[in-house]
């Protein structure tokens, strides 16, 4: 990746047509009645638009769309609630975006929704002002699990958080740690063992070692880390060997708008139940996303 890619504002109609195509490739029903209101509330689209899906879901498969929120929408959470996309709640999850915006320099916010599940989460992207674990632990509405796992993160050399996800449906948050030079095999093994998660085979370890981000899922109801995930540029040989053929075909055929090859990522997630595979493909880039990816991809 070298030549800069920027995108003009893309209309709701163009993005909906792309979603419909991507969902069709995954055999996921896509209804304009469900999707267009979300697009209309957050369009037009001046930045990144990314498709993602999880393998092994069978009839419960979904296709998610992540889109950059226009700068004019200063409070995306309140905007989603007032647009009827999320219910009001007095849970701390409702305050987390505002608390983060008060305490750090937010470069961009993105929303995530499924064509089946609807509005799910927000991503708070802070690559130019990465937050330490101690800074995030001090945020009033942040789950206590962040502070309670601070020693775990420190033992494994993790401190620079480039993005925070706020999942309003599941009431969890993800901390995305930046990995400028990948991550050592021994650290992956240690983290999985310490969290009581299934061991990884050598092929998975080799793939995860080249990750540009590792992220952890935590909630408000427990101090336990619920899930650990490793994100890297698409490892198609790994994906093809471990998921249904339809999923591999999906990630290599989604629509995109820029010159050259499609850019995709693959993610392996570990939970107590075992491994899970997710993949994402970029429909269009925002300038910041292109800048960040050029610095971290190997």
């Amino acid at each position: 990746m070298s030549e800069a890619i920027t995108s003009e504002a893309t209309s709701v109609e163009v993005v909906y047509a792309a979603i419909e195509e991507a969902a069709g490739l995954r055999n996921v029903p896509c209804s304009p009645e469900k999707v267009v209101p979300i697009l209309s509330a957050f369009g037009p689209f001046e930045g990144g638009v990314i498709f993602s899906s999880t393998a092994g879901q069978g009839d419960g498969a979904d296709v998610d769309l992540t889109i950059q929120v226009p700068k004019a929408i200063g409070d995306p959470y309140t905007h989603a609630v007032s647009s009827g996309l999320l219910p009001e709640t007095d849970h701390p999850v409702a305050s987390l975006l505002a608390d983060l915006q008060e305490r750090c320099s937010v470069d961009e916010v993105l929303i995530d929704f499924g064509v089946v599940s609807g509005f799910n989460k927000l991503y708070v992207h802070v690559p130019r002002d990465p937050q330490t674990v101690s800074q995030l632990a001090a945020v009033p509405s942040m789950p206590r699990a962040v502070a309670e796992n601070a020693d775990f993160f420190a033992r494994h050399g993790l401190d620079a958080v480039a993005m925070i996800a706020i999942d309003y449906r599941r009431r969890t948050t993800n901390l995305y740690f930046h990995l400028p030079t990948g991550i050592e095999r021994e650290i992956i093994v240690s983290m999985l063992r310490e969290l009581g998660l299934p061991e990884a085979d050598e092929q998975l370890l080799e793939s995860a070692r080249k990750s540009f981000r590792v992220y952890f899922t935590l909630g408000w109801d427990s101090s336990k880390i619920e899930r650990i995930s490793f994100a890297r540029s698409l490892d198609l040989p790994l994906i093809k060997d471990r998921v249904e053929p339809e999923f591999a075909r999906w990630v290599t055929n989604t629509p995109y708008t820029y010159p050259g090859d499609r850019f995709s990522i693959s993610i392996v997630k570990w939970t107590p139940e075992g491994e899970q595979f997710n993949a994402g493909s970029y429909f269009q880039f925002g300038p910041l996303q292109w800048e960040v990816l050029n610095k971290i991809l190997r």
Side-chain angles (χ1 to χ4, degrees), residues 48-122:
V49 178
I50 308 149
F51 303 114
S52 63
S53 190
T54 300
Q57 301 296 293
D59 292 339
D62 203 350
V63 171
D64 291 337
L65 192 75
T66 301
I67 55 177
Q68 186 176 328
V69 176
K71 292 285 188 183
I73 301 175
D75 185 346
Y77 169 71
T78 299
H79 186 69
V81 171
S82 64
S83 299
L85 305 177
L86 284 173
E88 287 192 77
T89 179
D90 58 2
H91 188 277
V93 71
S95 304
L96 187 50
L97 173 63
D99 284 350
L100 288 168
Q101 288 175 320
E102 286 181 5
R103 288 163 175 78
C104 56
S105 177
V106 176
D107 291 299
E108 60 184 2
V109 178
L110 304 98
I111 68 165
D112 177 277
F113 68 91
V115 300
V116 175
S117 59
F119 195 104
N120 290 313
K121 66 183 74 156
L122 290 172

Side-chain angles (χ1 to χ4, degrees), residues 33-279:
E33 291 77 18
K34 192 160 195 173
V35 173
V36 170
I38 303 175
L39 295 178
S40 298
F42 286 93
F45 311 106
E46 301 170 353
V49 178
I50 308 149
F51 303 114
S52 63
S53 190
T54 300
Q57 301 296 293
D59 292 339
D62 203 350
V63 171
D64 291 337
L65 192 75
T66 301
I67 55 177
Q68 186 176 328
V69 176
K71 292 285 188 183
I73 301 175
D75 185 346
Y77 169 71
T78 299
H79 186 69
V81 171
S82 64
S83 299
L85 305 177
L86 284 173
E88 287 192 77
T89 179
D90 58 2
H91 188 277
V93 71
S95 304
L96 187 50
L97 173 63
D99 284 350
L100 288 168
Q101 288 175 320
E102 286 181 5
R103 288 163 175 78
C104 56
S105 177
V106 176
D107 291 299
E108 60 184 2
V109 178
L110 304 98
I111 68 165
D112 177 277
F113 68 91
V115 300
V116 175
S117 59
F119 195 104
N120 290 313
K121 66 183 74 156
L122 290 172
Y123 296 99
V124 183
H125 200 196
V126 291
R128 294 175 178 143
D129 184 25
Q131 299 295 291
T132 65
V133 172
S134 60
Q135 286 175 313
L136 292 176
V139 174
S141 56
M142 187 68 68
R144 289 176 53 195
V146 174
E148 290 167 350
N149 286 285
D151 288 345
F152 171 86
F153 296 132
R155 279 195 303 277
H156 295 99
L158 300 173
D159 198 39
V161 177
M163 188 163 69
I164 304 99
I166 309 168
D167 191 321
Y168 296 97
R169 300 288 185 189
R170 297 178 181 86
R171 292 185 173 175
T172 58
T173 185
N174 293 340
L175 303 186
Y176 292 75
F177 290 87
H178 179 49
L179 303 175
T181 58
I183 185 167
E184 294 179 10
R185 175 191 181 282
E186 292 73 19
I187 292 177
I188 300 172
V189 171
S190 174
M191 289 193 297
L192 294 176
R193 183 179 298 127
E194 195 167 331
L195 295 175
L197 298 173
E199 292 185 6
D201 60 47
E202 287 302 321
Q203 187 185 27
L204 274 175
L205 287 171
E206 178 61 23
S207 183
R209 190 179 64 79
K210 299 174 184 177
S211 299
F212 57 82
R213 281 183 182 167
V214 57
Y215 61 98
F216 300 83
T217 302
L218 309 101
W220 279 263
D221 297 330
S222 168
S223 62
K224 188 173 183 179
I225 292 174
E226 298 181 12
R227 186 173 63 198
I228 180 173
S229 308
F230 295 86
R232 55 157 294 169
S233 55
L234 181 65
D235 188 346
L236 191 56
L238 181 81
I239 289 284
K240 289 177 71 174
D241 287 346
R242 297 171 185 259
V243 303
E244 63 271 26
E246 295 80 9
F247 184 80
R249 285 197 294 270
W250 175 80
V251 76
T252 55
N253 284 279
T254 53
Y256 64 103
T257 59
Y258 40 88
D261 296 332
R262 173 192 299 99
F263 177 72
S264 302
I265 61 174
S266 54
I267 301 168
V268 58
K269 304 179 179 183
W270 271 275
T271 69
E273 291 73 38
E275 302 145 8
Q276 194 175 54
F277 296 91
N278 181 277

